Amino acid sequence: MTWQSKVLSLDNKNKKHIFCFVLFSLIRTFAGEMKILKWGFIGCGEVTEKKSGPAFSEVDGSSVVAVMSRHKQKAHSYAVRHGVPRWYTDAQELIDDAEVNAVYVATPPSSHATYAIMAMKAGKPVYVEKPLAASYEDCARINRVSEQTGVPCFVAYYRRYLPYFQKVKDIVDRGIIGNVVSVQVRFAVPPREQDYAKPDELPWRVQPDIAGGGYFYDLAPHQLDLLQHIFGVITEARGICSNRGGLYDAEDTVSACFEFENGVPGSGSWCFVAHESAREDRIDLIGDRGSVSFSVFDYQPIRLHTVNGEEHFAVPNPPYVQFPLIKSVIEHLQDIGLCECTSISATPVNWALDRILGKF
């Protein structure tokens, strides 16, 4: 259903509310009253280089004015390379910067709650990298402060907004594969070179006190968020976790089963110490009239199977993959749009992750 048909299906009262909202937004825009977003980045790691960072300056009325890293050289280098006017080594100083009126938290998950809460208490909206936090409890803390302060918090589950995954959702929503009866996730990759490092040199993604778990806690959130975006929140989840490779303390192999609020059952297997021959990135949605298969990280062509045969859909991504979501966040803050990728919508992912890992 298109947005036009959705509007036409509303009653007159709701149509009037939407009309007034759009009219007011247009008046503000053409009157030159569009809110200008001036972002401060807390963290300037790999994700900010291409996936997200440049996108903030690609949207009308948005720019990056400050960046922070605990490492002086890293903050200075990022600011120089990306033309950012100011840089800091202290997060509070960035948040206190009078010109900064919105904050992007791009640090490891263990500090997400701290920085997000600091920003919201200062009255500055936040965009947080995924997962929202290193635990479900920290997600709940973020949501409480957002509610108390009235300051919104958004989360970088950008795959919801990519055309590739919107195509998958459209196939399901239109009933092309019929009633979905099963969801199956399969993911396997060999160890990364850095996984063989000495214990004190291991990447933060395999340190549970920083990441919340191992690679499962880093990668599975994208998969689970997508599935919840399509089928609703996961209401039951349990798992079996193991360390089969012995390269680090965190789990490296996970098997799980779960159920969505609409009753659809799902299962998943993740292995981060697999042989190359077992490499796989695939989700199968099985319906009573067909099935659709797609990848989450490799963006292989979507494969649709129905009584009409097999079809493949290659759907390209924008140059900066977070651009569609960041644009939605900015337009929400400018009162000319609505972004639903909030901390509230992101919290069920952490609930499912923690249930699968047996954290509570």
Side-chain angles (χ1 to χ4, degrees):
M1 180 182 288
T2 65
W3 69 268
Q4 294 98 329
S5 59
K6 287 181 179 179
V7 171
L8 290 173
S9 68
L10 298 172
D11 58 37
N12 289 331
K13 181 179 180 181
N14 284 325
K15 286 179 184 177
K16 183 178 180 181
H17 287 165
I18 291 175
F19 175 78
C20 291
F21 171 79
V22 173
L23 181 61
F24 177 70
S25 299
L26 289 172
I27 291 173
R28 288 190 56 181
T29 299
F30 287 110
E33 297 180 6
M34 175 188 289
K35 181 177 181 180
I36 304 300
L37 275 298
K38 296 185 177 181
W39 293 88
F41 289 5
I42 299 179
C44 50
E46 180 183 356
V47 69
T48 66
E49 290 290 345
K50 187 173 181 180
K51 287 184 177 181
S52 62
F56 286 89
S57 299
E58 292 289 320
V59 183
D60 290 342
S62 174
S63 63
V64 183
V65 299
V67 64
M68 171 268 169
S69 172
R70 291 178 301 169
H71 306 287
K72 179 179 179 180
Q73 183 56 40
K74 193 172 184 179
H76 177 259
S77 174
Y78 189 94
V80 170
R81 286 184 291 107
H82 295 279
V84 179
R86 294 182 299 286
W87 56 272
Y88 299 96
T89 56
D90 183 274
Q92 189 64 62
E93 289 184 8
L94 179 139
I95 291 171
D96 290 340
D97 186 321
E99 191 175 4
V100 171
N101 60 8
V103 176
Y104 172 32
V105 178
T107 59
S110 61
S111 57
H112 285 185
T114 297
Y115 292 142
I117 289 171
M118 287 168 59
M120 288 188 291
K121 285 188 174 181
K124 302 185 178 184
V126 191
Y127 178 70
V128 185
E129 268 303 322
K130 63 81 208 166
L132 174 57
S135 69
Y136 171 73
E137 287 81 2
D138 274 352
C139 293
R141 289 174 54 218
I142 291 172
N143 290 331
R144 282 198 297 271
V145 174
S146 180
E147 181 180 10
Q148 291 166 358
T149 60
V151 178
C153 176
F154 304 93
V155 186
Y157 282 122
Y158 60 88
R159 282 173 168 81
R160 296 188 201 177
Y161 288 73
L162 290 178
Y164 179 95
F165 300 107
Q166 290 179 337
K167 177 66 175 179
V168 173
K169 189 175 188 300
D170 180 64
I171 289 171
V172 174
D173 290 347
R174 289 167 56 197
I176 293 175
I177 61 172
N179 181 44
V180 176
V181 296
S182 179
V183 172
Q184 299 175 4
V185 182
R186 294 195 296 279
F187 188 82
V189 290
R192 305 180 186 189
E193 184 178 349
Q194 58 265 40
D195 297 342
Y196 295 97
K198 298 176 182 179
D200 60 346
E201 298 176 355
L202 285 167
W204 63 261
R205 287 179 172 83
V206 296
Q207 300 181 43
D209 59 328
I210 299 176
Y215 287 121
F216 173 77
Y217 218 87
D218 181 53
L219 297 178
H222 275 307
Q223 298 162 318
L224 296 182
D225 180 74
L226 270 173
L227 293 173
Q228 291 190 115
H229 183 55
I230 298 172
F231 300 108
V233 299
I234 291 173
T235 56
E236 294 288 341
R238 51 190 179 274
I240 298 175
C241 310
S242 180
N243 184 300
R244 306 299 298 165
L247 300 176
Y248 39 77
D249 292 335
E251 75 289 336
D252 59 26
T253 305
V254 177
S255 293
C257 57
F258 40 88
E259 183 179 42
F260 298 93
E261 62 181 337
N262 64 356
V264 173
S267 64
S269 64
W270 294 262
C271 182
F272 303 96
V273 290
H275 186 264
E276 178 63 35
S277 62
R279 183 185 288 272
E280 189 170 23
D281 171 16
R282 177 169 174 156
I283 294 181
D284 291 319
L285 308 182
I286 302 171
D288 56 12
R289 291 171 48 197
S291 65
V292 62
S293 303
F294 61 99
S295 61
V296 174
F297 304 99
D298 294 339
Y299 304 106
Q300 294 297 315
I302 299 163
R303 298 170 59 187
L304 173 64
H305 299 261
T306 64
V307 293
N308 297 320
E310 181 175 330
E311 295 180 77
H312 291 186
F313 303 95
V315 184
N317 289 323
Y320 309 123
V321 291
Q322 290 202 30
F323 176 81
L325 171 54
I326 289 171
K327 183 174 185 290
S328 179
V329 169
I330 291 170
E331 290 179 347
H332 181 114
L333 296 175
Q334 293 172 332
D335 295 326
I336 57 175
L338 178 65
C339 180
E340 297 180 346
C341 204
T342 64
S343 59
I344 295 293
S345 74
T347 295
V349 173
N350 282 80
W351 182 88
L353 292 172
D354 287 4
R355 291 284 294 183
I356 290 169
L357 293 182
K359 293 173 69 172
F360 66 88

mmCIF file of all heavy atoms in Angstrom, residues 43-79:
data_model
loop_
_atom_site.group_PDB
_atom_site.id
_atom_site.type_symbol
_atom_site.label_atom_id
_atom_site.label_comp_id
_atom_site.label_asym_id
_atom_site.label_seq_id
_atom_site.Cartn_x
_atom_site.Cartn_y
_atom_site.Cartn_z
ATOM 1 N N GLY A 43 33.310 9.745 19.525
ATOM 2 C CA GLY A 43 33.861 8.567 18.870
ATOM 3 C C GLY A 43 34.040 8.850 17.389
ATOM 4 O O GLY A 43 33.174 9.478 16.761
ATOM 5 N N CYS A 44 35.170 8.420 16.852
ATOM 6 C CA CYS A 44 35.426 8.650 15.428
ATOM 7 C C CYS A 44 36.154 7.445 14.846
ATOM 8 O O CYS A 44 37.189 7.583 14.198
ATOM 9 C CB CYS A 44 36.218 9.934 15.205
ATOM 10 S SG CYS A 44 37.707 10.104 16.206
ATOM 11 N N GLY A 45 35.589 6.276 15.103
ATOM 12 C CA GLY A 45 36.171 5.036 14.621
ATOM 13 C C GLY A 45 35.785 4.723 13.191
ATOM 14 O O GLY A 45 35.291 5.575 12.441
ATOM 15 N N GLU A 46 35.977 3.465 12.830
ATOM 16 C CA GLU A 46 35.789 3.016 11.449
ATOM 17 C C GLU A 46 34.400 3.308 10.904
ATOM 18 O O GLU A 46 34.245 3.716 9.754
ATOM 19 C CB GLU A 46 36.081 1.511 11.372
ATOM 20 C CG GLU A 46 35.937 0.903 10.002
ATOM 21 C CD GLU A 46 36.168 -0.591 10.004
ATOM 22 O OE1 GLU A 46 36.511 -1.149 11.065
ATOM 23 O OE2 GLU A 46 35.991 -1.204 8.939
ATOM 24 N N VAL A 47 33.376 3.107 11.718
ATOM 25 C CA VAL A 47 32.008 3.273 11.222
ATOM 26 C C VAL A 47 31.729 4.704 10.776
ATOM 27 O O VAL A 47 30.925 4.942 9.875
ATOM 28 C CB VAL A 47 30.986 2.845 12.300
ATOM 29 C CG1 VAL A 47 30.976 3.821 13.467
ATOM 30 C CG2 VAL A 47 29.593 2.709 11.710
ATOM 31 N N THR A 48 32.401 5.671 11.391
ATOM 32 C CA THR A 48 32.144 7.077 11.051
ATOM 33 C C THR A 48 32.861 7.524 9.780
ATOM 34 O O THR A 48 32.546 8.587 9.233
ATOM 35 C CB THR A 48 32.588 8.009 12.197
ATOM 36 O OG1 THR A 48 34.017 7.954 12.336
ATOM 37 C CG2 THR A 48 31.942 7.606 13.507
ATOM 38 N N GLU A 49 33.805 6.742 9.314
ATOM 39 C CA GLU A 49 34.597 7.152 8.155
ATOM 40 C C GLU A 49 33.766 7.186 6.868
ATOM 41 O O GLU A 49 33.859 8.118 6.076
ATOM 42 C CB GLU A 49 35.805 6.228 7.978
ATOM 43 C CG GLU A 49 36.868 6.385 9.046
ATOM 44 C CD GLU A 49 37.624 7.711 8.945
ATOM 45 O OE1 GLU A 49 37.526 8.387 7.902
ATOM 46 O OE2 GLU A 49 38.314 8.067 9.921
ATOM 47 N N LYS A 50 32.949 6.152 6.651
ATOM 48 C CA LYS A 50 32.188 6.091 5.406
ATOM 49 C C LYS A 50 30.722 5.717 5.608
ATOM 50 O O LYS A 50 29.838 6.259 4.952
ATOM 51 C CB LYS A 50 32.833 5.101 4.438
ATOM 52 C CG LYS A 50 32.187 5.123 3.052
ATOM 53 C CD LYS A 50 32.933 4.270 2.056
ATOM 54 C CE LYS A 50 32.261 4.349 0.676
ATOM 55 N NZ LYS A 50 32.966 3.529 -0.336
ATOM 56 N N LYS A 51 30.445 4.793 6.530
ATOM 57 C CA LYS A 51 29.065 4.337 6.699
ATOM 58 C C LYS A 51 28.135 5.444 7.165
ATOM 59 O O LYS A 51 26.988 5.540 6.731
ATOM 60 C CB LYS A 51 29.010 3.172 7.694
ATOM 61 C CG LYS A 51 29.548 1.858 7.173
ATOM 62 C CD LYS A 51 29.346 0.759 8.202
ATOM 63 C CE LYS A 51 29.809 -0.591 7.677
ATOM 64 N NZ LYS A 51 29.591 -1.673 8.660
ATOM 65 N N SER A 52 28.622 6.270 8.091
ATOM 66 C CA SER A 52 27.727 7.247 8.709
ATOM 67 C C SER A 52 28.225 8.682 8.622
ATOM 68 O O SER A 52 27.491 9.577 8.207
ATOM 69 C CB SER A 52 27.507 6.889 10.180
ATOM 70 O OG SER A 52 28.751 6.938 10.893
ATOM 71 N N GLY A 53 29.467 8.934 9.025
ATOM 72 C CA GLY A 53 29.975 10.291 9.187
ATOM 73 C C GLY A 53 29.646 11.261 8.072
ATOM 74 O O GLY A 53 29.027 12.312 8.312
ATOM 75 N N PRO A 54 30.024 10.971 6.816
ATOM 76 C CA PRO A 54 29.771 11.918 5.732
ATOM 77 C C PRO A 54 28.291 12.208 5.496
ATOM 78 O O PRO A 54 27.937 13.280 4.995
ATOM 79 C CB PRO A 54 30.393 11.223 4.511
ATOM 80 C CG PRO A 54 31.417 10.286 5.078
ATOM 81 C CD PRO A 54 30.819 9.815 6.358
ATOM 82 N N ALA A 55 27.424 11.261 5.863
ATOM 83 C CA ALA A 55 25.992 11.428 5.598
ATOM 84 C C ALA A 55 25.395 12.606 6.364
ATOM 85 O O ALA A 55 24.431 13.226 5.903
ATOM 86 C CB ALA A 55 25.241 10.148 5.946
ATOM 87 N N PHE A 56 25.955 12.929 7.533
ATOM 88 C CA PHE A 56 25.399 14.015 8.335
ATOM 89 C C PHE A 56 25.505 15.366 7.634
ATOM 90 O O PHE A 56 24.730 16.285 7.919
ATOM 91 C CB PHE A 56 26.107 14.079 9.692
ATOM 92 C CG PHE A 56 25.727 12.982 10.640
ATOM 93 C CD1 PHE A 56 26.420 11.782 10.642
ATOM 94 C CD2 PHE A 56 24.676 13.136 11.527
ATOM 95 C CE1 PHE A 56 26.080 10.756 11.514
ATOM 96 C CE2 PHE A 56 24.318 12.122 12.405
ATOM 97 C CZ PHE A 56 25.023 10.916 12.390
ATOM 98 N N SER A 57 26.467 15.502 6.739
ATOM 99 C CA SER A 57 26.637 16.770 6.016
ATOM 100 C C SER A 57 25.977 16.745 4.645
ATOM 101 O O SER A 57 26.019 17.740 3.915
ATOM 102 C CB SER A 57 28.137 17.077 5.860
ATOM 103 O OG SER A 57 28.751 17.217 7.125
ATOM 104 N N GLU A 58 25.352 15.602 4.298
ATOM 105 C CA GLU A 58 24.696 15.476 3.000
ATOM 106 C C GLU A 58 23.228 15.884 3.054
ATOM 107 O O GLU A 58 22.571 15.994 2.025
ATOM 108 C CB GLU A 58 24.801 14.022 2.507
ATOM 109 C CG GLU A 58 26.206 13.575 2.152
ATOM 110 C CD GLU A 58 26.716 14.219 0.873
ATOM 111 O OE1 GLU A 58 25.923 14.346 -0.073
ATOM 112 O OE2 GLU A 58 27.896 14.597 0.826
ATOM 113 N N VAL A 59 22.705 16.090 4.256
ATOM 114 C CA VAL A 59 21.292 16.437 4.433
ATOM 115 C C VAL A 59 21.169 17.943 4.656
ATOM 116 O O VAL A 59 21.953 18.543 5.402
ATOM 117 C CB VAL A 59 20.684 15.679 5.630
ATOM 118 C CG1 VAL A 59 19.195 15.997 5.770
ATOM 119 C CG2 VAL A 59 20.899 14.177 5.475
ATOM 120 N N ASP A 60 20.182 18.551 4.022
ATOM 121 C CA ASP A 60 19.964 19.988 4.175
ATOM 122 C C ASP A 60 19.768 20.341 5.644
ATOM 123 O O ASP A 60 19.019 19.670 6.371
ATOM 124 C CB ASP A 60 18.731 20.437 3.382
ATOM 125 C CG ASP A 60 18.960 20.387 1.878
ATOM 126 O OD1 ASP A 60 20.131 20.342 1.462
ATOM 127 O OD2 ASP A 60 17.956 20.383 1.138
ATOM 128 N N GLY A 61 20.427 21.410 6.060
ATOM 129 C CA GLY A 61 20.251 21.878 7.425
ATOM 130 C C GLY A 61 21.016 21.078 8.454
ATOM 131 O O GLY A 61 20.677 21.119 9.636
ATOM 132 N N SER A 62 22.053 20.366 8.032
ATOM 133 C CA SER A 62 22.811 19.530 8.964
ATOM 134 C C SER A 62 24.302 19.615 8.653
ATOM 135 O O SER A 62 24.703 19.628 7.487
ATOM 136 C CB SER A 62 22.355 18.071 8.878
ATOM 137 O OG SER A 62 23.168 17.224 9.676
ATOM 138 N N SER A 63 25.108 19.680 9.708
ATOM 139 C CA SER A 63 26.559 19.690 9.539
ATOM 140 C C SER A 63 27.216 19.147 10.803
ATOM 141 O O SER A 63 26.583 19.033 11.859
ATOM 142 C CB SER A 63 27.061 21.107 9.255
ATOM 143 O OG SER A 63 26.799 21.961 10.354
ATOM 144 N N VAL A 64 28.483 18.792 10.684
ATOM 145 C CA VAL A 64 29.261 18.292 11.822
ATOM 146 C C VAL A 64 30.204 19.399 12.264
ATOM 147 O O VAL A 64 30.997 19.904 11.459
ATOM 148 C CB VAL A 64 30.067 17.039 11.436
ATOM 149 C CG1 VAL A 64 30.809 16.477 12.662
ATOM 150 C CG2 VAL A 64 29.159 15.976 10.841
ATOM 151 N N VAL A 65 30.115 19.784 13.529
ATOM 152 C CA VAL A 65 30.912 20.920 14.008
ATOM 153 C C VAL A 65 31.953 20.538 15.051
ATOM 154 O O VAL A 65 32.826 21.342 15.386
ATOM 155 C CB VAL A 65 30.005 22.033 14.575
ATOM 156 C CG1 VAL A 65 29.069 22.572 13.499
ATOM 157 C CG2 VAL A 65 29.210 21.528 15.780
ATOM 158 N N ALA A 66 31.861 19.293 15.583
ATOM 159 C CA ALA A 66 32.824 18.884 16.606
ATOM 160 C C ALA A 66 32.929 17.367 16.645
ATOM 161 O O ALA A 66 31.980 16.656 16.317
ATOM 162 C CB ALA A 66 32.423 19.426 17.980
ATOM 163 N N VAL A 67 34.087 16.897 17.049
ATOM 164 C CA VAL A 67 34.321 15.467 17.164
ATOM 165 C C VAL A 67 35.171 15.206 18.405
ATOM 166 O O VAL A 67 35.977 16.054 18.809
ATOM 167 C CB VAL A 67 35.019 14.919 15.895
ATOM 168 C CG1 VAL A 67 36.408 15.521 15.734
ATOM 169 C CG2 VAL A 67 35.089 13.403 15.921
ATOM 170 N N MET A 68 34.965 14.042 19.019
ATOM 171 C CA MET A 68 35.684 13.723 20.239
ATOM 172 C C MET A 68 36.238 12.310 20.184
ATOM 173 O O MET A 68 35.601 11.382 19.698
ATOM 174 C CB MET A 68 34.759 13.864 21.458
ATOM 175 C CG MET A 68 35.350 13.352 22.773
ATOM 176 S SD MET A 68 34.906 11.592 23.071
ATOM 177 C CE MET A 68 35.994 11.230 24.465
ATOM 178 N N SER A 69 37.444 12.141 20.666
ATOM 179 C CA SER A 69 38.050 10.832 20.897
ATOM 180 C C SER A 69 38.958 10.962 22.108
ATOM 181 O O SER A 69 39.553 12.036 22.333
ATOM 182 C CB SER A 69 38.868 10.362 19.686
ATOM 183 O OG SER A 69 39.597 9.173 20.003
ATOM 184 N N ARG A 70 39.076 9.908 22.884
ATOM 185 C CA ARG A 70 39.984 9.951 24.031
ATOM 186 C C ARG A 70 41.435 10.076 23.578
ATOM 187 O O ARG A 70 42.294 10.516 24.338
ATOM 188 C CB ARG A 70 39.812 8.702 24.887
ATOM 189 C CG ARG A 70 38.484 8.622 25.626
ATOM 190 C CD ARG A 70 38.388 7.337 26.413
ATOM 191 N NE ARG A 70 38.505 6.171 25.536
ATOM 192 C CZ ARG A 70 38.669 4.923 25.968
ATOM 193 N NH1 ARG A 70 38.769 4.678 27.262
ATOM 194 N NH2 ARG A 70 38.750 3.933 25.113
ATOM 195 N N HIS A 71 41.698 9.686 22.323
ATOM 196 C CA HIS A 71 43.045 9.760 21.767
ATOM 197 C C HIS A 71 43.189 11.060 20.980
ATOM 198 O O HIS A 71 42.542 11.259 19.944
ATOM 199 C CB HIS A 71 43.317 8.548 20.883
ATOM 200 C CG HIS A 71 43.082 7.245 21.569
ATOM 201 N ND1 HIS A 71 43.933 6.742 22.528
ATOM 202 C CD2 HIS A 71 42.061 6.344 21.464
ATOM 203 C CE1 HIS A 71 43.475 5.589 22.972
ATOM 204 N NE2 HIS A 71 42.339 5.328 22.347
ATOM 205 N N LYS A 72 44.043 11.944 21.474
ATOM 206 C CA LYS A 72 44.204 13.274 20.899
ATOM 207 C C LYS A 72 44.505 13.239 19.406
ATOM 208 O O LYS A 72 43.870 13.942 18.616
ATOM 209 C CB LYS A 72 45.319 14.002 21.647
ATOM 210 C CG LYS A 72 45.621 15.398 21.128
ATOM 211 C CD LYS A 72 46.726 16.051 21.953
ATOM 212 C CE LYS A 72 47.062 17.439 21.428
ATOM 213 N NZ LYS A 72 48.148 18.073 22.242
ATOM 214 N N GLN A 73 45.453 12.397 19.003
ATOM 215 C CA GLN A 73 45.847 12.343 17.609
ATOM 216 C C GLN A 73 44.700 11.868 16.721
ATOM 217 O O GLN A 73 44.511 12.360 15.600
ATOM 218 C CB GLN A 73 47.061 11.419 17.436
ATOM 219 C CG GLN A 73 47.611 11.351 16.012
ATOM 220 C CD GLN A 73 47.987 12.711 15.464
ATOM 221 O OE1 GLN A 73 48.534 13.558 16.174
ATOM 222 N NE2 GLN A 73 47.675 12.948 14.190
ATOM 223 N N LYS A 74 43.908 10.926 17.224
ATOM 224 C CA LYS A 74 42.794 10.390 16.448
ATOM 225 C C LYS A 74 41.727 11.461 16.223
ATOM 226 O O LYS A 74 41.203 11.622 15.108
ATOM 227 C CB LYS A 74 42.198 9.183 17.168
ATOM 228 C CG LYS A 74 41.244 8.360 16.339
ATOM 229 C CD LYS A 74 40.861 7.086 17.077
ATOM 230 C CE LYS A 74 39.978 6.203 16.213
ATOM 231 N NZ LYS A 74 39.622 4.935 16.922
ATOM 232 N N ALA A 75 41.404 12.208 17.273
ATOM 233 C CA ALA A 75 40.399 13.265 17.154
ATOM 234 C C ALA A 75 40.882 14.358 16.208
ATOM 235 O O ALA A 75 40.132 14.826 15.338
ATOM 236 C CB ALA A 75 40.087 13.851 18.528
ATOM 237 N N HIS A 76 42.134 14.763 16.376
ATOM 238 C CA HIS A 76 42.687 15.818 15.531
ATOM 239 C C HIS A 76 42.740 15.384 14.069
ATOM 240 O O HIS A 76 42.365 16.146 13.161
ATOM 241 C CB HIS A 76 44.085 16.194 16.022
ATOM 242 C CG HIS A 76 44.765 17.223 15.172
ATOM 243 N ND1 HIS A 76 45.736 16.907 14.240
ATOM 244 C CD2 HIS A 76 44.594 18.571 15.095
ATOM 245 C CE1 HIS A 76 46.140 18.003 13.633
ATOM 246 N NE2 HIS A 76 45.472 19.022 14.130
ATOM 247 N N SER A 77 43.178 14.152 13.826
ATOM 248 C CA SER A 77 43.281 13.639 12.463
ATOM 249 C C SER A 77 41.915 13.590 11.785
ATOM 250 O O SER A 77 41.764 13.997 10.630
ATOM 251 C CB SER A 77 43.915 12.244 12.476
ATOM 252 O OG SER A 77 43.891 11.672 11.183
ATOM 253 N N TYR A 78 40.907 13.117 12.516
ATOM 254 C CA TYR A 78 39.562 13.023 11.937
ATOM 255 C C TYR A 78 39.043 14.422 11.586
ATOM 256 O O TYR A 78 38.474 14.644 10.512
ATOM 257 C CB TYR A 78 38.609 12.336 12.909
ATOM 258 C CG TYR A 78 37.263 12.020 12.301
ATOM 259 C CD1 TYR A 78 37.007 10.777 11.745
ATOM 260 C CD2 TYR A 78 36.236 12.975 12.274
ATOM 261 C CE1 TYR A 78 35.777 10.477 11.176
ATOM 262 C CE2 TYR A 78 35.012 12.690 11.700
ATOM 263 C CZ TYR A 78 34.784 11.444 11.154
ATOM 264 O OH TYR A 78 33.568 11.162 10.582
ATOM 265 N N ALA A 79 39.245 15.371 12.501
ATOM 266 C CA ALA A 79 38.761 16.736 12.273
ATOM 267 C C ALA A 79 39.415 17.352 11.041
ATOM 268 O O ALA A 79 38.739 17.991 10.212
ATOM 269 C CB ALA A 79 39.040 17.588 13.508
#
